[in-house]
Short mmCIF file of all heavy atoms in Angstrom, two decimals:
data_model
loop_
_atom_site.label_atom_id
_atom_site.label_comp_id
_atom_site.label_asym_id
_atom_site.label_seq_id
_atom_site.Cartn_x
_atom_site.Cartn_y
_atom_site.Cartn_z
N MET A 144 52.47 -27.00 -26.09
CA MET A 144 51.44 -26.87 -27.21
C MET A 144 50.14 -27.41 -26.72
O MET A 144 50.05 -28.54 -26.21
CB MET A 144 51.95 -27.67 -28.43
CG MET A 144 50.97 -27.55 -29.57
SD MET A 144 51.76 -28.38 -30.95
CE MET A 144 51.52 -27.14 -32.18
N ALA A 145 49.08 -26.58 -26.85
CA ALA A 145 47.83 -27.00 -26.35
C ALA A 145 46.99 -27.68 -27.48
O ALA A 145 47.19 -27.36 -28.66
CB ALA A 145 47.02 -25.78 -25.95
N HIS A 146 46.22 -28.56 -27.06
CA HIS A 146 45.34 -29.33 -27.98
C HIS A 146 43.93 -29.07 -27.69
O HIS A 146 43.50 -29.20 -26.54
CB HIS A 146 45.62 -30.83 -27.91
CG HIS A 146 44.77 -31.68 -28.80
ND1 HIS A 146 44.96 -31.69 -30.15
CD2 HIS A 146 43.77 -32.57 -28.46
CE1 HIS A 146 44.02 -32.53 -30.63
NE2 HIS A 146 43.34 -33.07 -29.69
N THR A 147 43.22 -28.74 -28.75
CA THR A 147 41.81 -28.45 -28.52
C THR A 147 40.93 -29.41 -29.30
O THR A 147 41.23 -29.64 -30.47
CB THR A 147 41.39 -26.99 -28.95
OG1 THR A 147 42.26 -26.16 -28.31
CG2 THR A 147 39.94 -26.70 -28.72
N ASN A 148 39.96 -29.94 -28.62
CA ASN A 148 39.02 -30.97 -29.30
C ASN A 148 37.70 -30.30 -29.54
O ASN A 148 37.07 -29.90 -28.66
CB ASN A 148 38.84 -32.16 -28.47
CG ASN A 148 38.09 -33.28 -29.17
OD1 ASN A 148 37.85 -33.17 -30.32
ND2 ASN A 148 37.59 -34.29 -28.46
N ILE A 149 37.31 -30.09 -30.79
CA ILE A 149 36.14 -29.39 -31.20
C ILE A 149 35.21 -30.46 -31.74
O ILE A 149 35.53 -31.15 -32.76
CB ILE A 149 36.38 -28.29 -32.20
CG1 ILE A 149 37.35 -27.29 -31.66
CG2 ILE A 149 35.01 -27.74 -32.62
CD1 ILE A 149 37.71 -26.22 -32.65
N GLU A 150 34.07 -30.54 -31.07
CA GLU A 150 32.99 -31.48 -31.53
C GLU A 150 31.84 -30.71 -32.07
O GLU A 150 31.43 -29.69 -31.50
CB GLU A 150 32.49 -32.38 -30.45
CG GLU A 150 33.54 -33.31 -29.89
CD GLU A 150 32.90 -34.30 -28.87
OE1 GLU A 150 31.70 -34.64 -29.00
OE2 GLU A 150 33.59 -34.62 -27.96
N GLN A 151 31.34 -31.09 -33.25
CA GLN A 151 30.17 -30.44 -33.79
C GLN A 151 29.03 -31.30 -33.60
O GLN A 151 29.05 -32.52 -34.01
CB GLN A 151 30.43 -30.16 -35.32
CG GLN A 151 31.44 -29.10 -35.62
CD GLN A 151 31.56 -28.88 -37.07
OE1 GLN A 151 31.25 -29.66 -37.87
NE2 GLN A 151 31.88 -27.59 -37.35
N HIS A 152 28.02 -30.78 -33.01
CA HIS A 152 26.79 -31.53 -32.77
C HIS A 152 25.72 -30.91 -33.81
O HIS A 152 25.37 -29.66 -33.62
CB HIS A 152 26.30 -31.41 -31.41
CG HIS A 152 27.19 -32.08 -30.45
ND1 HIS A 152 27.24 -33.39 -30.26
CD2 HIS A 152 28.08 -31.53 -29.62
CE1 HIS A 152 28.17 -33.72 -29.36
NE2 HIS A 152 28.70 -32.59 -28.97
N SER A 153 25.27 -31.67 -34.67
CA SER A 153 24.29 -31.04 -35.61
C SER A 153 22.90 -31.15 -35.01
O SER A 153 22.60 -32.01 -34.28
CB SER A 153 24.26 -31.83 -36.92
OG SER A 153 23.69 -33.08 -36.82
N ALA A 154 22.22 -30.14 -35.27
CA ALA A 154 20.81 -30.07 -34.79
C ALA A 154 19.86 -30.51 -35.88
O ALA A 154 18.81 -29.94 -36.07
CB ALA A 154 20.47 -28.63 -34.30
N GLY A 155 20.21 -31.67 -36.50
CA GLY A 155 19.27 -32.23 -37.48
C GLY A 155 19.52 -31.67 -38.90
O GLY A 155 18.58 -31.79 -39.71
N PHE A 156 20.73 -31.17 -39.18
CA PHE A 156 20.93 -30.61 -40.46
C PHE A 156 21.99 -31.41 -41.22
O PHE A 156 22.24 -31.04 -42.41
CB PHE A 156 21.35 -29.13 -40.35
CG PHE A 156 20.25 -28.36 -39.74
CD1 PHE A 156 20.44 -27.76 -38.57
CD2 PHE A 156 19.10 -28.03 -40.41
CE1 PHE A 156 19.43 -26.98 -37.93
CE2 PHE A 156 18.14 -27.28 -39.90
CZ PHE A 156 18.31 -26.74 -38.61
N GLY A 157 22.66 -32.36 -40.64
CA GLY A 157 23.72 -33.04 -41.35
C GLY A 157 23.27 -34.19 -42.16
O GLY A 157 22.08 -34.52 -42.23
N LEU A 158 24.26 -34.82 -42.85
CA LEU A 158 23.91 -35.91 -43.70
C LEU A 158 23.27 -37.09 -42.96
O LEU A 158 22.34 -37.70 -43.43
CB LEU A 158 25.20 -36.45 -44.45
CG LEU A 158 25.02 -37.61 -45.40
CD1 LEU A 158 24.06 -37.27 -46.51
CD2 LEU A 158 26.28 -38.03 -45.91
N SER A 159 23.75 -37.43 -41.74
CA SER A 159 23.23 -38.52 -41.04
C SER A 159 21.81 -38.21 -40.58
O SER A 159 20.99 -39.16 -40.62
CB SER A 159 24.16 -38.84 -39.85
OG SER A 159 23.69 -38.50 -38.64
N ALA A 160 21.50 -37.05 -40.26
CA ALA A 160 20.19 -36.64 -39.89
C ALA A 160 19.17 -36.79 -41.12
O ALA A 160 18.08 -37.23 -41.02
CB ALA A 160 20.02 -35.21 -39.34
N TRP A 161 19.68 -36.39 -42.20
CA TRP A 161 18.99 -36.48 -43.51
C TRP A 161 18.61 -37.90 -43.79
O TRP A 161 17.55 -38.33 -44.19
CB TRP A 161 19.71 -35.80 -44.70
CG TRP A 161 18.87 -35.87 -45.96
CD1 TRP A 161 18.01 -34.97 -46.34
CD2 TRP A 161 19.00 -36.90 -46.99
NE1 TRP A 161 17.53 -35.32 -47.59
CE2 TRP A 161 18.04 -36.48 -47.94
CE3 TRP A 161 19.73 -37.99 -47.12
CZ2 TRP A 161 17.88 -37.20 -49.15
CZ3 TRP A 161 19.45 -38.77 -48.19
CH2 TRP A 161 18.55 -38.36 -49.25
N ILE A 162 19.62 -38.81 -43.65
CA ILE A 162 19.44 -40.24 -43.89
C ILE A 162 18.48 -40.88 -42.86
O ILE A 162 17.59 -41.61 -43.27
CB ILE A 162 20.90 -40.95 -43.78
CG1 ILE A 162 21.73 -40.56 -45.04
CG2 ILE A 162 20.60 -42.46 -43.75
CD1 ILE A 162 23.11 -41.03 -44.98
N ASP A 163 18.55 -40.41 -41.58
CA ASP A 163 17.63 -40.96 -40.71
C ASP A 163 16.14 -40.55 -40.99
O ASP A 163 15.25 -41.32 -40.84
CB ASP A 163 17.98 -40.36 -39.25
CG ASP A 163 19.22 -41.00 -38.66
OD1 ASP A 163 19.58 -42.06 -39.21
OD2 ASP A 163 19.77 -40.44 -37.71
N ARG A 164 15.99 -39.29 -41.44
CA ARG A 164 14.66 -38.76 -41.79
C ARG A 164 14.13 -39.58 -43.08
O ARG A 164 12.98 -39.92 -43.14
CB ARG A 164 14.64 -37.32 -42.09
CG ARG A 164 14.74 -36.47 -40.90
CD ARG A 164 14.49 -35.03 -41.12
NE ARG A 164 15.30 -34.45 -42.16
CZ ARG A 164 16.52 -33.89 -41.99
NH1 ARG A 164 16.99 -33.84 -40.74
NH2 ARG A 164 17.17 -33.35 -43.05
N ALA A 165 15.11 -39.90 -44.00
CA ALA A 165 14.72 -40.59 -45.21
C ALA A 165 14.30 -42.00 -44.82
O ALA A 165 13.25 -42.54 -45.30
CB ALA A 165 15.86 -40.57 -46.20
N LYS A 166 15.01 -42.64 -43.97
CA LYS A 166 14.66 -43.98 -43.45
C LYS A 166 13.34 -44.02 -42.78
O LYS A 166 12.49 -44.88 -43.04
CB LYS A 166 15.73 -44.52 -42.50
CG LYS A 166 16.97 -44.90 -43.17
CD LYS A 166 17.93 -45.53 -42.04
CE LYS A 166 19.34 -45.86 -42.49
NZ LYS A 166 20.17 -46.29 -41.39
N SER A 167 13.10 -43.04 -41.99
CA SER A 167 11.82 -42.95 -41.22
C SER A 167 10.68 -42.73 -42.26
O SER A 167 9.65 -43.38 -42.10
CB SER A 167 11.81 -41.75 -40.23
OG SER A 167 10.61 -41.58 -39.63
N HIS A 168 10.85 -41.85 -43.23
CA HIS A 168 9.80 -41.66 -44.25
C HIS A 168 9.60 -42.89 -45.04
O HIS A 168 8.43 -43.27 -45.33
CB HIS A 168 10.32 -40.52 -45.14
CG HIS A 168 9.32 -40.23 -46.25
ND1 HIS A 168 8.17 -39.54 -46.02
CD2 HIS A 168 9.41 -40.46 -47.52
CE1 HIS A 168 7.53 -39.40 -47.14
NE2 HIS A 168 8.22 -39.96 -48.15
N LEU A 169 10.60 -43.68 -45.30
CA LEU A 169 10.43 -44.88 -46.06
C LEU A 169 9.73 -45.87 -45.30
O LEU A 169 8.82 -46.64 -45.77
CB LEU A 169 11.79 -45.48 -46.43
CG LEU A 169 11.82 -46.69 -47.32
CD1 LEU A 169 11.06 -46.42 -48.70
CD2 LEU A 169 13.28 -47.17 -47.59
N ARG A 170 10.00 -45.99 -43.96
CA ARG A 170 9.18 -46.87 -43.08
C ARG A 170 7.74 -46.57 -43.05
O ARG A 170 6.76 -47.42 -43.10
CB ARG A 170 9.77 -46.96 -41.66
CG ARG A 170 10.91 -47.80 -41.45
CD ARG A 170 11.33 -47.98 -40.05
NE ARG A 170 11.76 -46.79 -39.41
CZ ARG A 170 12.99 -46.29 -39.40
NH1 ARG A 170 13.91 -47.00 -40.08
NH2 ARG A 170 13.36 -45.14 -38.87
N VAL A 171 7.41 -45.25 -42.94
CA VAL A 171 6.01 -44.85 -42.96
C VAL A 171 5.33 -45.15 -44.28
O VAL A 171 4.27 -45.58 -44.29
CB VAL A 171 5.94 -43.29 -42.62
CG1 VAL A 171 4.54 -42.76 -42.89
CG2 VAL A 171 6.40 -43.05 -41.22
N MET A 172 5.98 -44.89 -45.33
CA MET A 172 5.42 -45.12 -46.70
C MET A 172 5.13 -46.62 -46.88
O MET A 172 4.07 -47.04 -47.46
CB MET A 172 6.34 -44.61 -47.83
CG MET A 172 6.41 -43.06 -47.73
SD MET A 172 4.88 -42.17 -47.69
CE MET A 172 4.17 -42.56 -49.23
N ARG A 173 6.10 -47.48 -46.43
CA ARG A 173 5.90 -48.94 -46.56
C ARG A 173 4.64 -49.39 -45.69
O ARG A 173 3.86 -50.17 -46.14
CB ARG A 173 7.09 -49.69 -46.10
CG ARG A 173 8.19 -49.63 -47.11
CD ARG A 173 9.39 -50.42 -46.65
NE ARG A 173 10.45 -50.47 -47.60
CZ ARG A 173 11.65 -50.78 -47.33
NH1 ARG A 173 12.04 -51.24 -46.13
NH2 ARG A 173 12.61 -50.74 -48.28
N ALA A 174 4.56 -48.80 -44.48
CA ALA A 174 3.45 -49.22 -43.59
C ALA A 174 2.10 -48.74 -44.27
O ALA A 174 1.04 -49.38 -44.23
CB ALA A 174 3.52 -48.55 -42.26
N ARG A 175 2.06 -47.58 -44.82
CA ARG A 175 0.87 -47.08 -45.58
C ARG A 175 0.54 -47.85 -46.73
O ARG A 175 -0.65 -48.24 -47.00
CB ARG A 175 1.06 -45.64 -45.93
CG ARG A 175 1.03 -44.69 -44.75
CD ARG A 175 1.18 -43.20 -45.24
NE ARG A 175 1.05 -42.38 -43.98
CZ ARG A 175 1.44 -41.07 -44.02
NH1 ARG A 175 1.90 -40.52 -45.10
NH2 ARG A 175 1.32 -40.39 -42.91
N GLN A 176 1.52 -48.32 -47.52
CA GLN A 176 1.29 -49.14 -48.65
C GLN A 176 0.77 -50.45 -48.22
O GLN A 176 -0.18 -51.10 -48.84
CB GLN A 176 2.59 -49.29 -49.47
CG GLN A 176 2.34 -50.10 -50.78
CD GLN A 176 1.42 -49.41 -51.69
OE1 GLN A 176 1.54 -48.14 -51.95
NE2 GLN A 176 0.40 -50.04 -52.31
N ALA A 177 1.30 -51.03 -47.14
CA ALA A 177 0.82 -52.32 -46.63
C ALA A 177 -0.60 -52.24 -46.19
O ALA A 177 -1.37 -53.19 -46.37
CB ALA A 177 1.75 -52.82 -45.48
N ALA A 178 -0.92 -51.19 -45.52
CA ALA A 178 -2.31 -51.01 -45.04
C ALA A 178 -3.27 -50.85 -46.16
O ALA A 178 -4.32 -51.42 -46.23
CB ALA A 178 -2.37 -49.73 -44.17
N TYR A 179 -2.84 -50.07 -47.23
CA TYR A 179 -3.65 -49.94 -48.48
C TYR A 179 -3.85 -51.32 -49.15
O TYR A 179 -5.03 -51.75 -49.43
CB TYR A 179 -3.02 -49.07 -49.42
CG TYR A 179 -3.79 -48.92 -50.72
CD1 TYR A 179 -4.81 -47.94 -50.88
CD2 TYR A 179 -3.53 -49.71 -51.79
CE1 TYR A 179 -5.51 -47.85 -52.12
CE2 TYR A 179 -4.28 -49.65 -52.97
CZ TYR A 179 -5.23 -48.68 -53.12
OH TYR A 179 -5.94 -48.62 -54.30
N ASP A 180 -2.82 -52.08 -49.35
CA ASP A 180 -2.88 -53.36 -50.03
C ASP A 180 -3.78 -54.30 -49.28
O ASP A 180 -4.59 -54.98 -49.89
CB ASP A 180 -1.47 -54.01 -50.21
CG ASP A 180 -0.63 -53.17 -51.15
OD1 ASP A 180 -1.21 -52.38 -51.94
OD2 ASP A 180 0.60 -53.33 -51.17
N GLN A 181 -3.58 -54.41 -47.94
CA GLN A 181 -4.40 -55.29 -47.17
C GLN A 181 -5.86 -54.99 -47.18
O GLN A 181 -6.78 -55.88 -47.42
CB GLN A 181 -3.90 -55.36 -45.69
CG GLN A 181 -4.67 -56.30 -44.83
CD GLN A 181 -4.15 -56.41 -43.35
OE1 GLN A 181 -3.13 -55.78 -43.08
NE2 GLN A 181 -4.80 -57.16 -42.59
N THR A 182 -6.15 -53.68 -47.02
CA THR A 182 -7.55 -53.27 -46.99
C THR A 182 -8.14 -53.52 -48.29
O THR A 182 -9.33 -54.03 -48.46
CB THR A 182 -7.71 -51.75 -46.63
OG1 THR A 182 -7.07 -51.52 -45.38
CG2 THR A 182 -9.14 -51.26 -46.58
N TYR A 183 -7.47 -53.17 -49.43
CA TYR A 183 -8.00 -53.35 -50.81
C TYR A 183 -8.22 -54.81 -51.03
O TYR A 183 -9.35 -55.14 -51.58
CB TYR A 183 -7.04 -52.76 -51.81
CG TYR A 183 -7.56 -52.78 -53.16
CD1 TYR A 183 -8.34 -51.75 -53.76
CD2 TYR A 183 -7.39 -53.93 -54.08
CE1 TYR A 183 -8.85 -51.78 -55.00
CE2 TYR A 183 -7.87 -54.03 -55.24
CZ TYR A 183 -8.58 -52.94 -55.79
OH TYR A 183 -9.12 -53.01 -57.10
N ARG A 184 -7.33 -55.70 -50.68
CA ARG A 184 -7.44 -57.08 -50.94
C ARG A 184 -8.64 -57.69 -50.22
O ARG A 184 -9.43 -58.39 -50.72
CB ARG A 184 -6.09 -57.80 -50.57
CG ARG A 184 -6.08 -59.29 -50.85
CD ARG A 184 -4.69 -59.87 -50.52
NE ARG A 184 -4.18 -59.54 -49.27
CZ ARG A 184 -3.12 -58.67 -49.09
NH1 ARG A 184 -2.53 -58.11 -49.99
NH2 ARG A 184 -2.73 -58.33 -47.80
N GLU A 185 -8.66 -57.33 -48.83
CA GLU A 185 -9.78 -57.88 -48.01
C GLU A 185 -11.20 -57.47 -48.52
O GLU A 185 -12.10 -58.29 -48.54
CB GLU A 185 -9.55 -57.55 -46.53
CG GLU A 185 -8.37 -58.27 -46.03
CD GLU A 185 -8.10 -57.96 -44.51
OE1 GLU A 185 -8.86 -57.12 -43.97
OE2 GLU A 185 -7.06 -58.43 -43.98
N LEU A 186 -11.27 -56.13 -48.84
CA LEU A 186 -12.56 -55.70 -49.37
C LEU A 186 -12.97 -56.28 -50.68
O LEU A 186 -14.04 -56.56 -50.99
CB LEU A 186 -12.63 -54.21 -49.36
CG LEU A 186 -12.62 -53.53 -48.04
CD1 LEU A 186 -12.57 -51.97 -48.17
CD2 LEU A 186 -13.80 -53.87 -47.15
N SER A 187 -11.95 -56.48 -51.54
CA SER A 187 -12.13 -57.08 -52.92
C SER A 187 -12.66 -58.48 -52.78
O SER A 187 -13.45 -58.88 -53.75
CB SER A 187 -10.86 -57.05 -53.67
OG SER A 187 -10.49 -55.68 -53.92
N TYR A 188 -12.31 -59.14 -51.78
CA TYR A 188 -12.75 -60.56 -51.58
C TYR A 188 -14.24 -60.68 -51.18
O TYR A 188 -14.91 -61.70 -51.36
CB TYR A 188 -11.87 -61.38 -50.68
CG TYR A 188 -10.53 -61.70 -51.15
CD1 TYR A 188 -9.37 -61.56 -50.27
CD2 TYR A 188 -10.29 -62.10 -52.47
CE1 TYR A 188 -8.10 -61.88 -50.84
CE2 TYR A 188 -9.00 -62.45 -52.96
CZ TYR A 188 -7.96 -62.31 -52.10
OH TYR A 188 -6.76 -62.64 -52.58
N LEU A 189 -14.79 -59.60 -50.66
CA LEU A 189 -16.14 -59.60 -50.21
C LEU A 189 -17.14 -59.53 -51.43
O LEU A 189 -16.88 -58.96 -52.40
CB LEU A 189 -16.47 -58.47 -49.28
CG LEU A 189 -15.64 -58.41 -48.02
CD1 LEU A 189 -15.98 -57.11 -47.15
CD2 LEU A 189 -15.85 -59.69 -47.12
N SER A 190 -18.25 -60.22 -51.18
CA SER A 190 -19.33 -60.12 -52.20
C SER A 190 -20.00 -58.82 -52.19
O SER A 190 -19.81 -58.13 -51.11
CB SER A 190 -20.31 -61.22 -52.02
OG SER A 190 -21.07 -61.01 -50.75
N ASP A 191 -20.77 -58.46 -53.11
CA ASP A 191 -21.53 -57.19 -53.15
C ASP A 191 -22.44 -57.17 -51.95
O ASP A 191 -22.64 -56.12 -51.36
CB ASP A 191 -22.25 -57.09 -54.48
CG ASP A 191 -21.38 -56.77 -55.66
OD1 ASP A 191 -20.23 -56.31 -55.42
OD2 ASP A 191 -21.82 -56.95 -56.79
N ARG A 192 -23.07 -58.27 -51.58
CA ARG A 192 -23.97 -58.26 -50.43
C ARG A 192 -23.23 -57.98 -49.12
O ARG A 192 -23.68 -57.26 -48.28
CB ARG A 192 -24.66 -59.71 -50.39
CG ARG A 192 -25.49 -59.96 -49.15
CD ARG A 192 -26.62 -58.96 -49.09
NE ARG A 192 -27.27 -59.02 -47.93
CZ ARG A 192 -28.44 -59.59 -47.64
NH1 ARG A 192 -29.16 -60.11 -48.61
NH2 ARG A 192 -29.01 -59.61 -46.48
N GLU A 193 -22.07 -58.64 -48.98
CA GLU A 193 -21.19 -58.39 -47.78
C GLU A 193 -20.77 -56.92 -47.65
O GLU A 193 -20.82 -56.39 -46.65
CB GLU A 193 -20.07 -59.37 -47.77
CG GLU A 193 -20.43 -60.80 -47.57
CD GLU A 193 -19.26 -61.78 -47.75
OE1 GLU A 193 -18.45 -61.50 -48.69
OE2 GLU A 193 -19.18 -62.77 -46.99
N LEU A 194 -20.42 -56.39 -48.84
CA LEU A 194 -20.04 -54.97 -48.89
C LEU A 194 -21.24 -54.11 -48.44
O LEU A 194 -21.05 -53.13 -47.70
CB LEU A 194 -19.50 -54.62 -50.19
CG LEU A 194 -18.11 -55.08 -50.61
CD1 LEU A 194 -17.80 -54.82 -52.05
CD2 LEU A 194 -17.05 -54.52 -49.66
N SER A 195 -22.31 -54.41 -48.96
CA SER A 195 -23.51 -53.62 -48.72
C SER A 195 -23.96 -53.73 -47.14
O SER A 195 -24.34 -52.72 -46.55
CB SER A 195 -24.78 -54.19 -49.52
OG SER A 195 -25.90 -53.51 -49.16
N ASP A 196 -23.67 -54.89 -46.57
CA ASP A 196 -23.93 -55.03 -45.14
C ASP A 196 -23.06 -54.14 -44.24
O ASP A 196 -23.43 -53.74 -43.18
CB ASP A 196 -23.69 -56.49 -44.69
CG ASP A 196 -24.80 -57.49 -45.18
OD1 ASP A 196 -25.81 -56.97 -45.62
OD2 ASP A 196 -24.58 -58.68 -45.13
N ILE A 197 -21.87 -53.85 -44.77
CA ILE A 197 -20.93 -52.86 -43.97
C ILE A 197 -21.09 -51.45 -44.51
O ILE A 197 -20.26 -50.66 -44.15
CB ILE A 197 -19.52 -53.42 -43.95
CG1 ILE A 197 -18.92 -53.49 -45.28
CG2 ILE A 197 -19.46 -54.76 -43.16
CD1 ILE A 197 -17.40 -53.82 -45.29
N GLY A 198 -22.08 -51.23 -45.46
CA GLY A 198 -22.23 -49.82 -45.82
C GLY A 198 -21.31 -49.37 -47.01
O GLY A 198 -21.11 -48.20 -47.12
N LEU A 199 -20.76 -50.32 -47.74
CA LEU A 199 -19.91 -49.97 -48.85
C LEU A 199 -20.42 -50.55 -50.13
O LEU A 199 -21.19 -51.49 -50.22
CB LEU A 199 -18.50 -50.48 -48.58
CG LEU A 199 -17.67 -49.95 -47.37
CD1 LEU A 199 -16.40 -50.70 -47.20
CD2 LEU A 199 -17.44 -48.48 -47.56
N SER A 200 -20.00 -49.96 -51.26
CA SER A 200 -20.26 -50.56 -52.54
C SER A 200 -18.85 -50.85 -53.19
O SER A 200 -17.80 -50.40 -52.60
CB SER A 200 -20.98 -49.55 -53.47
OG SER A 200 -20.14 -48.48 -53.81
N ARG A 201 -18.82 -51.60 -54.22
CA ARG A 201 -17.55 -51.97 -54.86
C ARG A 201 -16.79 -50.65 -55.26
O ARG A 201 -15.56 -50.70 -55.13
CB ARG A 201 -17.81 -52.84 -56.08
CG ARG A 201 -16.56 -53.46 -56.48
CD ARG A 201 -16.75 -54.90 -56.94
NE ARG A 201 -17.50 -55.91 -56.09
CZ ARG A 201 -16.88 -56.57 -55.19
NH1 ARG A 201 -15.64 -56.52 -54.92
NH2 ARG A 201 -17.58 -57.48 -54.47
N ALA A 202 -17.48 -49.58 -55.53
CA ALA A 202 -16.84 -48.40 -56.06
C ALA A 202 -16.09 -47.63 -54.83
O ALA A 202 -15.23 -46.80 -55.07
CB ALA A 202 -17.82 -47.49 -56.65
N ASP A 203 -16.52 -47.97 -53.61
CA ASP A 203 -15.89 -47.51 -52.38
C ASP A 203 -14.58 -48.08 -51.93
O ASP A 203 -13.93 -47.59 -51.01
CB ASP A 203 -16.92 -47.55 -51.22
CG ASP A 203 -18.19 -46.66 -51.51
OD1 ASP A 203 -18.12 -45.58 -52.18
OD2 ASP A 203 -19.29 -47.17 -51.00
N ILE A 204 -14.25 -49.21 -52.54
CA ILE A 204 -13.03 -49.97 -52.08
C ILE A 204 -11.76 -49.09 -52.17
O ILE A 204 -11.10 -49.03 -51.13
CB ILE A 204 -12.88 -51.29 -52.83
CG1 ILE A 204 -14.09 -52.22 -52.48
CG2 ILE A 204 -11.62 -51.88 -52.53
CD1 ILE A 204 -14.08 -53.50 -53.25
N VAL A 205 -11.53 -48.43 -53.24
CA VAL A 205 -10.30 -47.62 -53.35
C VAL A 205 -10.24 -46.56 -52.38
O VAL A 205 -9.25 -46.26 -51.65
CB VAL A 205 -10.10 -47.14 -54.80
CG1 VAL A 205 -8.99 -46.13 -54.92
CG2 VAL A 205 -9.92 -48.28 -55.77
N THR A 206 -11.32 -45.82 -52.20
CA THR A 206 -11.43 -44.69 -51.21
C THR A 206 -11.20 -45.21 -49.79
O THR A 206 -10.52 -44.56 -49.13
CB THR A 206 -12.76 -43.95 -51.30
OG1 THR A 206 -12.89 -43.52 -52.62
CG2 THR A 206 -12.89 -42.80 -50.39
N THR A 207 -11.80 -46.29 -49.45
CA THR A 207 -11.67 -46.86 -48.10
C THR A 207 -10.22 -47.35 -47.87
O THR A 207 -9.66 -47.10 -46.77
CB THR A 207 -12.68 -48.04 -47.95
OG1 THR A 207 -14.02 -47.55 -48.25
CG2 THR A 207 -12.68 -48.59 -46.51
N ALA A 208 -9.62 -47.98 -48.92
CA ALA A 208 -8.28 -48.42 -48.81
C ALA A 208 -7.28 -47.17 -48.59
O ALA A 208 -6.30 -47.20 -47.75
CB ALA A 208 -7.84 -49.26 -49.95
N ARG A 209 -7.55 -46.14 -49.28
CA ARG A 209 -6.73 -44.93 -49.16
C ARG A 209 -6.88 -44.30 -47.79
O ARG A 209 -5.91 -43.87 -47.14
CB ARG A 209 -7.16 -43.90 -50.18
CG ARG A 209 -6.62 -44.18 -51.60
CD ARG A 209 -7.00 -43.12 -52.61
NE ARG A 209 -6.56 -43.41 -53.90
CZ ARG A 209 -7.07 -43.03 -54.95
NH1 ARG A 209 -8.14 -42.11 -54.96
NH2 ARG A 209 -6.66 -43.39 -56.16
N GLN A 210 -8.09 -44.34 -47.21
CA GLN A 210 -8.34 -43.84 -45.88
C GLN A 210 -7.61 -44.66 -44.79
O GLN A 210 -7.01 -44.20 -43.90
CB GLN A 210 -9.81 -43.79 -45.57
CG GLN A 210 -10.55 -42.72 -46.33
CD GLN A 210 -12.06 -42.81 -46.21
OE1 GLN A 210 -12.63 -43.83 -45.63
NE2 GLN A 210 -12.75 -41.83 -46.66
N ALA A 211 -7.62 -45.99 -45.02
CA ALA A 211 -6.89 -46.81 -44.13
C ALA A 211 -5.41 -46.62 -44.14
O ALA A 211 -4.66 -46.67 -43.16
CB ALA A 211 -7.21 -48.33 -44.44
N ALA A 212 -4.84 -46.34 -45.40
CA ALA A 212 -3.50 -46.02 -45.61
C ALA A 212 -3.07 -44.77 -44.88
O ALA A 212 -2.03 -44.61 -44.20
CB ALA A 212 -3.10 -46.01 -46.98
N ALA A 213 -4.00 -43.72 -44.99
CA ALA A 213 -3.75 -42.44 -44.29
C ALA A 213 -3.65 -42.53 -42.88
O ALA A 213 -2.94 -41.80 -42.19
CB ALA A 213 -4.72 -41.52 -44.71
N MET A 214 -4.44 -43.55 -42.20
CA MET A 214 -4.39 -43.67 -40.76
C MET A 214 -3.27 -44.56 -40.22
O MET A 214 -3.02 -44.63 -39.03
CB MET A 214 -5.74 -44.29 -40.31
CG MET A 214 -6.87 -43.26 -40.48
SD MET A 214 -8.47 -43.88 -39.85
CE MET A 214 -8.87 -45.27 -40.84
N ALA A 215 -2.60 -45.22 -41.21
CA ALA A 215 -1.59 -46.16 -40.80
C ALA A 215 -0.25 -45.39 -40.29
O ALA A 215 0.00 -44.30 -40.67
CB ALA A 215 -1.11 -47.04 -41.95
#
C-alpha cells in the first residue's frame, strides 16, 4: 500500500496569511496613531509665538499631526 503525503502551500490566501496581514495592519495603525498623538501633543505645548516661528498656527496642528501620521 502506497502512502502519499500532500502538502498545501497557500500563496497568501489562507487563514494564517489573513491573520498575519491583520497583525501587520494593526502594527501600522498603532504606529500612525502614536505619531499623530506625539506630534499633536508636542505642537500643542508650543506657544503661539513658537508655532509662528516654525510657520504654523494653532489651527494647523491637526493637519500637521495627520501628515506626520501618514508618513509613519
Side-chain angles (χ1 to χ4, degrees):
M144 179 176 230
H146 176 71
T147 304
N148 187 12
I149 299 174
E150 292 185 35
Q151 289 183 334
H152 295 283
S153 72
F156 298 110
L158 179 60
S159 106
W161 183 86
I162 291 171
D163 289 341
R164 286 191 306 272
K166 285 180 186 178
S167 176
H168 179 72
L169 185 57
R170 278 191 294 273
V171 168
M172 295 309 293
R173 284 182 179 164
R175 287 180 179 168
Q176 185 64 48
Y179 176 90
D180 291 344
Q181 181 179 357
T182 303
Y183 185 89
R184 184 176 48 253
E185 289 178 3
L186 291 176
S187 293
Y188 287 139
L189 298 177
S190 68
D191 290 339
R192 173 61 192 254
E193 291 168 322
L194 287 169
S195 177
D196 286 346
I197 60 173
L199 297 174
S200 69
R201 195 141 309 271
D203 296 326
I204 291 175
V205 170
T206 303
T207 304
R209 285 183 183 154
Q210 291 171 348
M214 291 187 293

